[in-house]
Amino acid sequence: MMTDDQLRAQLPHTLRQLDLPALGELYRGKVRDNYSRGDRIVMITTDRVSAFDHVLGTIPFKGEILTRLTTFWFEKVQDIAPIHLLDAPDPSVMVVKRAKPFPVEIIVRGYITGSLWRDYQAGKAGTYGISWPAGLRKDQRLDQPVLTPSTKAEYGRHDEPISEAEILRQRLVEPEIWSQARSVALRLFERGQEWARSRGLILVDTKYEMGTTDGNLVVIDEIHTPDSSRYWIAQDSQERFERGQDQHMLDKENIRQWLIQEHGFSGQGKPPPLTDAVRISLARTYVNLYERLTGETFQAEVGSVEERIKRNLAARGYLK
Ligand SMILES: Nc1ncnc2c1ncn2[C@@H]1O[C@H](COP(=O)(O)OP(=O)(O)OP(=O)(O)O)[C@@H](O)[C@H]1O
Ligand SMILES: [Mg+2]
């Protein structure tokens, strides 16, 4: 396990953004700098962290952890569906096949928590087209994993829940492709939950992005990362649930709670600046999750992420 001193030493070297126009046309998302040319995208996962659809700052080694976990998972699920990954020239970079992304995100949930729990309590969970049983409790496991899709909103706007019926009615995705996508999402989630379980973790819920290339379904973006998923520690999960205590979370939920509890921020107005203590604490959470999931010690160079990426891209012929 990396020490807090190592995480602290990386604070001034984190990657906020990478300007490399030689790579193609830039699309800067909340977390990734995506350079596309023709049918390939060089996806650079920066160290930016976002919550409630706002970029808050950077977290040591975050880009590397997300990328390494995504390639780790892609390897485990590649028999389920085609994946967009072409090359991984640097620990923070994936070169992918450009797809036509669905305008919806496919969220799969095994438990009722987070925004779904808030919607359920407020009687607003019907938007997903699912009839929820009465009397569910916070963090309760659902009998079957469910799909709660959302539309993909522009920067600064919030994604909106949408039902599968509405996705089809608006023809956001072709029916044939959607039926493949939903079954792929459920199988990916099942595989993810199985693996997580074997490592003492619970994959609580996650978000997939999919699209098509030449009319065929492809899984894109990241998968089963702590940015796109909730993870709980399995060991005392049941006891915590029965006692009505919060779960032991290894994901971004911690930072959301810090924003809400310490600063009353939940998306409106200007987010507070992250303290170094919070940045280090989230880095520790992400390293912890990485090590538990993979069973390997997280090792990384302290130093400029930008210089390392440039070096690796040049060595692999991407920066000619
Ligand atoms: N193979 C692919 N083809 C096309 N687009 C992709 C592919 N893989 C990922 N993407 C898109 O690349 C972007 C990745 O950047 P990032 O994760 O920072 O975006 P985001 O903040 O999650 O989303 P937004 O686009 O709303 O800012 C996303 O818009 C994602 O949908
Ligand atoms: Mg994203």
Side-chain angles (χ1 to χ4, degrees):
M1 181 81 177
M2 282 192 136
T3 64
D4 279 9
D5 282 346
Q6 284 170 297
L7 298 174
R8 184 182 307 280
Q10 184 63 9
L11 285 172
H13 303 298
T14 55
L15 184 67
R16 174 98 210 184
Q17 62 180 65
L18 191 52
D19 297 308
L20 286 175
L23 286 175
E25 188 189 327
L26 172 64
Y27 171 74
R28 184 160 282 150
K30 287 181 288 291
V31 173
R32 295 176 177 76
D33 284 359
N34 307 282
Y35 287 95
S36 55
R37 170 169 295 145
D39 62 0
R40 103 176 175 199
I41 306 176
V42 178
M43 292 183 69
I44 297 155
T45 304
T46 70
D47 296 320
R48 295 194 291 269
V49 62
S50 77
F52 303 114
D53 293 323
H54 289 262
V55 174
L56 307 167
T58 61
I59 306 296
F61 303 116
K62 178 169 178 285
E64 184 167 343
I65 292 172
L66 296 187
T67 307
R68 283 163 62 161
L69 282 176
T70 293
T71 54
F72 169 84
W73 278 111
F74 277 163
E75 212 158 285
K76 294 212 176 305
V77 302
Q78 51 184 331
D79 59 305
I80 295 176
I83 306 291
H84 68 158
L85 183 66
L86 299 172
D87 191 14
D90 174 274
S92 299
V93 182
M94 296 194 303
V95 179
V96 305
K97 197 170 160 64
R98 190 222 275 269
K100 191 165 163 262
F102 297 164
V104 293
E105 299 183 336
I106 306 173
I107 296 153
V108 183
R109 301 175 187 259
Y111 293 74
I112 182 163
T113 189
S115 64
L116 177 59
W117 169 247
R118 289 191 289 274
D119 288 348
Y120 176 81
Q121 272 185 307
K124 291 192 293 194
T127 337
Y128 298 106
I130 296 169
S131 50
W132 304 95
L136 291 176
R137 290 170 49 205
K138 178 174 175 288
D139 300 341
Q140 187 164 345
R141 197 172 75 84
L142 302 168
D143 291 340
Q144 294 287 326
V146 295
L147 258 64
T148 57
S150 71
T151 58
K152 286 186 70 182
E154 303 292 313
Y155 183 85
R157 317 236 342 239
H158 294 289
D159 296 348
E160 297 292 340
I162 187 170
S163 67
E164 293 189 67
E166 193 59 21
I167 291 172
L168 296 173
R169 198 189 63 77
Q170 294 182 26
R171 284 265 161 171
L172 299 178
V173 181
E174 291 302 310
E176 168 67 10
I177 297 286
W178 181 257
S179 93
Q180 289 174 27
R182 82 178 319 278
S183 108
V184 164
L186 291 170
R187 278 153 69 207
L188 292 173
F189 190 66
E190 189 182 10
R191 182 77 56 87
Q193 283 203 316
E194 272 169 22
W195 177 265
R197 262 290 166 190
S198 76
R199 307 283 325 159
L201 295 169
I202 297 174
L203 176 61
V204 176
D205 50 40
T206 198
K207 176 206 79 178
Y208 301 108
E209 293 194 39
M210 298 188 203
T212 53
T213 52
D214 307 318
N216 298 312
L217 182 76
V218 59
V219 178
I220 64 172
D221 208 56
E222 60 183 340
I223 71 162
H224 300 168
T225 72
D227 265 16
S228 67
S229 321
R230 278 196 182 80
Y231 283 97
W232 295 339
I233 290 179
Q235 202 195 6
D236 56 352
S237 168
Q238 185 61 26
E239 290 80 355
R240 282 172 183 259
F241 171 69
E242 281 162 13
R243 287 195 227 108
Q245 287 171 341
D246 282 345
Q247 295 291 315
H248 189 156
M249 302 171 275
L250 284 181
D251 52 57
K252 245 169 52 173
E253 192 61 25
N254 293 306
I255 209 161
R256 291 192 199 104
Q257 309 243 322
W258 178 81
L259 289 167
I260 296 174
Q261 283 159 17
E262 310 280 316
H263 295 276
F265 179 81
S266 57
Q268 278 72 48
K270 201 168 174 280
L274 297 178
T275 62
D276 286 354
V278 164
R279 296 168 72 200
I280 292 168
S281 149
L282 191 65
R284 205 187 311 105
T285 304
Y286 274 34
V287 169
N288 188 354
L289 177 73
Y290 176 93
E291 297 193 337
R292 284 174 188 257
L293 264 184
T294 63
E296 285 163 22
T297 309
F298 178 73
Q299 278 164 332
E301 283 172 43
V302 171
S304 168
V305 177
E306 172 162 352
E307 294 312 318
R308 188 199 68 214
I309 293 178
K310 285 181 177 165
R311 219 166 43 233
N312 283 328
L313 287 179
R316 297 284 271 267
Y318 287 102
L319 277 180
K320 277 192 288 259

